[in-house]
Amino acid sequence: PQRECYYLYYQIEGNGHFLQQIFCRGTTLPADVKTCLNSHLVYDDELGIHLHKGFRDHALRLVNDVQPLLRHPHNPRATVEVSGHSLGGAVAMIVAMILKKRGYNVERAMSIAGARFCAKDDVEIVNNDLLPLDALRIEDDLDCVPLFPPWASSAGDKLWLVNDSDGGPSPLT
């Protein structure tokens, strides 16, 4: 079976805090294009929302690979942060929701140029109940990936970089 590629970083601080960071890769393999195109929305029983099927399946494979490597979900000193780019940005948001639902202390989720991953009708549930409070998506106005698929939506706070007259990106405030 296909294994997912991710990076898992551990940091143990002097006070015993155990930070676990998961980095989800973007589109790299030809099979990833198929994942992106498998974009119909399916109901996910665990989360109770509709998700992009390809991204959901990718996220579940990644969670199944990484979960045995994480500290126990109810360890008060262990926290999780998840981030990703492009395909990995959408997957990172779903991974964060799954781990949070399973009892892990997910403190942060970040998507950089991530595609849309959930049903428009479910965004409020995603933002209020499933994602951590610190959930950020970073998008550039010249990048088309965050606009697809058009029948889905993104979630989390948005930092939007817009092209200025000098040709470089600048944050929109």
Side-chain angles (χ1 to χ4, degrees), residues 112-116 137-140 143-149 153-154:
I112 302 166
R116 296 174 178 184
R137 58 192 165 108
I138 301 172
E139 298 177 3
D140 184 304
D143 187 356
C144 67
V145 171
L147 304 175
F148 290 102
S153 190
S154 296

Side-chain angles (χ1 to χ4, degrees), residues 6-13 16-23 66-83 95-96 99 103-109:
Y6 57 85
Y7 299 95
L8 181 61
Y9 171 78
Y10 299 101
Q11 178 179 335
I12 302 172
E13 297 178 4
H17 178 252
F18 196 82
L19 173 63
Q20 305 159 105
Q21 295 175 318
I22 302 167
F23 302 93
V66 76
Q67 195 169 358
L69 304 174
L70 298 175
R71 291 289 171 122
H72 189 273
H74 300 291
N75 182 333
R77 293 184 176 264
T79 58
V80 179
E81 297 178 355
V82 188
S83 61
V95 167
L99 291 176
Y104 289 89
N105 182 12
V106 180
E107 286 193 336
R108 182 171 296 120

